[in-house]
Amino acid sequence: MLDHGHTSEMEAVLQAAEPVTRSVWLMERAGRRLGIPPEDVHELIAPQEVIIFRVPCKILGKVVNFWGCLALHNSARGPFKGGVRLAPDVTIWETTELARLMTLKCAACDVEFGGGKTGIRVDMARMYELFERKPRDLEFEKIISVDAIEYYAQQFREVFLKHVYIPAPDMGTGPDEMAFIYNETLDPASVTGKGEGVHGWLPGRRESTGIGCAYVTVRMVREVLGKDPAGATVALQGFGNVGRPLASALVAEGAKVVAVTDLYGGTHDPDGLDIDGLLEHAAKAATVGGFAGGRPIGNEALLGLDVDVLIPAAAGDVITGTVARKIRAGCVVEAANMPTTVEGMQVLEERGIPVVPDILANAGGVIASMLEYSSSLSAIKPSQAQVYEVLKTKIGENFDLAVERAQSAGTSLVQAAVELAMERVYAVMKGRRMI
Ligand code: NAD
């Protein structure tokens, strides 16, 4: 039973309790503040459709069945949009939560998409056993992931072709897997995140999340912290697709990235790390650990550094209540999806540490996807500079609205952004008589 007093239909069907996730918690609070009737809040939280599926794949002469879930959360504002995740621990609730996050993100940045997500349970450890291979064999893992996606794309071909749900990369997938979806549909607008050269690809799509996040970080430091971004100090967790272009863009603005960590190590220099050198080192060593231009640092120490900005750009749920009590940063910018737990958020709110929520901070990727989709439909390809311009306008305008709302209503920036998003989705649902 959810906090807003309704039993979810999925719970009724599945006979399993839906966890009160971060977005459910935020949306229930927003619903109360906006005066939306509880039964309508329930519809805003609930997914429109959730499909549980089995994909029978023929891989290297064997039949392998993968199970997955396609969560179509809300399409009031446009086609369901969201990535395809391949991971061993995918669940229906996680996929639904990620789809809901996409609805909020697209609405918060005024992108004409709804929210969806696919999760396919692919356990590489089990695949190594099944095929009697030794880990880690990246070529073997690629065969598994592209084959799984190829059969998944065959199964959902019509859904993609009608642009009901438009997939994109997420954990475990990238441009290669998106190319396999394109191979199946031969429609450039049916999938985003396509690699360079694949019909309808977008220059700057790969870097877009990091670039958008750097832009909002600079605005946050200048306008909310009241500091000059040149010389501002940043601690960054994660040096992947998001973290790398983000670090470079921050340094280009004069900020000092003083510490970076990843799964395997970390590096720290209070005077600011040489990011070009770190990029070169990480490309060879596959970790930021062991960089000659800094001293070693662990994840826990990084999260507690005395800096202007802390940017979690790695995994979810890293800022728990306990971690939040030790944070000394002036603000937190959520580059990762849901890096702060509900308790973490409550502690940061109590301590007055402002947080730029993921739905604004990492929306650069979906804004670029919007451009990729629109240029695929029209065949006019924008330049990288034009892509970055749209990113900044979309994120900037909506950041302004969220900051104004937070200041006039005396709420957190996170709550203000969720309210902005929910208001937009609710208005269209009412206008279309969906609620
Ligand atoms: P990635 O796999 O390219 O990189 C992740 C980085 O984080 C790596 O450096 C990895 O070593 C590090 N990492 C992972 N788990 C960690 C942990 N527990 N502690 C410390 N470091 C850890 O992933 P990415 O594409 O950069 O995505 C990062 C986050 O941003 C994810 O939460 C993702 O959902 C979110 N996101 C990504 C995009 C995008 O366009 N790639 C868009 C929106 C949101």
Side-chain angles (χ1 to χ4, degrees):
M1 176 104 151
L2 299 177
D3 182 33
H4 58 277
H6 286 262
T7 302
S8 136
E9 279 74 18
M10 286 205 332
E11 284 175 9
V13 174
L14 282 171
Q15 292 292 302
E18 176 167 10
V20 178
T21 56
R22 170 173 143 156
S23 72
V24 170
W25 179 73
L26 285 167
M27 288 173 82
E28 283 183 332
R29 270 210 322 187
R32 281 194 292 272
R33 289 179 48 88
L34 294 169
I36 300 176
E39 60 275 20
D40 288 356
V41 172
H42 170 67
E43 299 302 348
L44 281 157
I45 289 172
Q48 200 157 312
E49 190 176 348
V50 179
I51 302 165
I52 297 175
F53 59 83
R54 180 178 62 201
V55 204
C57 305
K58 282 127 209 125
I59 303 176
L60 300 169
K62 280 192 190 334
V63 176
V64 184
N65 275 302
F66 293 118
W67 282 83
C69 166
L70 172 58
L72 302 174
H73 176 255
N74 190 301
S75 63
R77 292 173 42 89
F80 297 103
K81 185 85 188 83
V84 182
R85 173 171 292 198
L86 301 187
D89 52 358
V90 160
T91 69
I92 187 169
W93 302 121
E94 181 199 61
T95 311
T96 303
E97 171 73 348
L98 291 166
R100 195 158 34 220
L101 187 71
M102 285 303 295
T103 301
L104 292 176
K105 196 179 293 181
C106 294
C109 287
D110 203 9
V111 168
E112 284 193 327
F113 284 135
K117 200 83 179 186
T118 302
I120 307 178
R121 288 178 81 93
V122 174
D123 183 351
M124 284 300 173
R126 195 171 76 79
M127 292 300 112
Y128 280 111
E129 275 172 31
L130 190 69
F131 287 91
E132 294 169 5
R133 301 263 181 145
K134 284 212 181 74
R136 276 197 75 190
D137 176 342
L138 295 183
E139 228 170 274
F140 170 69
E141 292 189 16
K142 190 50 90 181
I143 292 172
I144 303 284
S145 69
V146 293
D147 279 1
I149 292 295
E150 186 174 10
Y151 287 100
Y152 156 76
Q154 282 173 9
Q155 204 155 312
F156 288 96
R157 186 168 172 273
E158 292 307 309
V159 174
F160 304 154
L161 270 174
K162 288 184 185 144
H163 303 180
V164 170
Y165 162 66
I166 304 165
D170 192 71
M171 202 185 278
T173 61
D176 292 340
E177 289 74 17
M178 298 308 108
F180 274 69
I181 296 180
Y182 171 73
N183 287 348
E184 201 52 47
T185 61
L186 298 179
D187 169 6
S190 66
V191 52
T192 62
K194 301 179 291 292
E196 185 167 347
V198 176
H199 187 186
W201 74 282
L202 189 81
R205 165 69 180 80
R206 205 157 41 100
E207 301 81 8
S208 55
T209 306
I211 300 291
C213 188
Y215 174 71
V216 85
T217 303
V218 165
R219 301 271 321 264
M220 182 73 185
V221 170
R222 190 183 294 130
E223 292 157 39
V224 177
L225 299 190
K227 287 196 165 182
D228 187 352
T233 52
V234 178
L236 174 65
Q237 183 189 48
F239 207 55
N241 292 319
V242 177
R244 288 190 304 260
L246 168 59
S248 299
L250 286 172
V251 168
E253 294 288 341
K256 284 198 251 178
V257 178
V258 297
V260 181
T261 53
D262 62 26
L263 259 178
Y264 311 100
T267 183
H268 181 208
D269 179 352
D271 296 327
L273 293 160
D274 162 20
I275 294 299
D276 286 340
L278 187 61
L279 283 165
E280 254 178 59
H281 167 81
K284 283 190 216 126
T287 170
V288 294
F291 178 50
R295 297 234 172 106
I297 184 169
N299 270 298
E300 205 186 323
L302 174 127
L303 294 168
L305 281 178
D306 184 4
V307 283
D308 294 314
V309 191
L310 170 64
I311 309 188
D317 293 341
V318 288
I319 303 182
T320 58
T322 314
V323 170
R325 281 181 201 98
K326 294 186 195 149
I327 285 180
R328 288 190 292 158
C331 70
V332 174
V333 178
E334 293 189 323
N337 280 328
M338 298 182 286
T340 313
T341 64
V342 170
E343 197 198 342
M345 211 159 253
Q346 284 167 323
V347 172
L348 292 177
E349 265 179 36
E350 275 162 29
R351 295 188 56 209
I353 298 176
V355 177
V356 183
D358 47 9
I359 57 174
L360 289 174
N362 70 28
V366 79
I367 295 170
S369 277
M370 171 194 81
L371 291 171
E372 185 177 339
Y373 178 64
S374 84
S375 65
S376 292
L377 288 172
S378 71
I380 296 172
K381 194 177 295 298
S383 66
Q384 190 185 66
Q386 287 169 321
V387 171
Y388 291 172
E389 211 38 56
V390 175
L391 278 188
K392 290 177 184 174
T393 307
K394 280 270 177 212
I395 295 182
E397 282 173 1
N398 292 292
F399 174 73
D400 286 344
L401 289 175
V403 170
E404 274 166 33
R405 184 186 275 260
Q407 282 169 353
S408 65
T411 92
S412 72
L413 194 50
V414 179
Q415 196 61 44
V418 171
E419 286 174 21
L420 188 66
M422 233 168 112
E423 219 169 51
R424 287 176 175 163
V425 179
Y426 187 52
V428 182
M429 285 182 85
K430 284 206 94 134
R432 293 182 60 194
R433 305 294 186 271
M434 297 168 92
I435 206 164

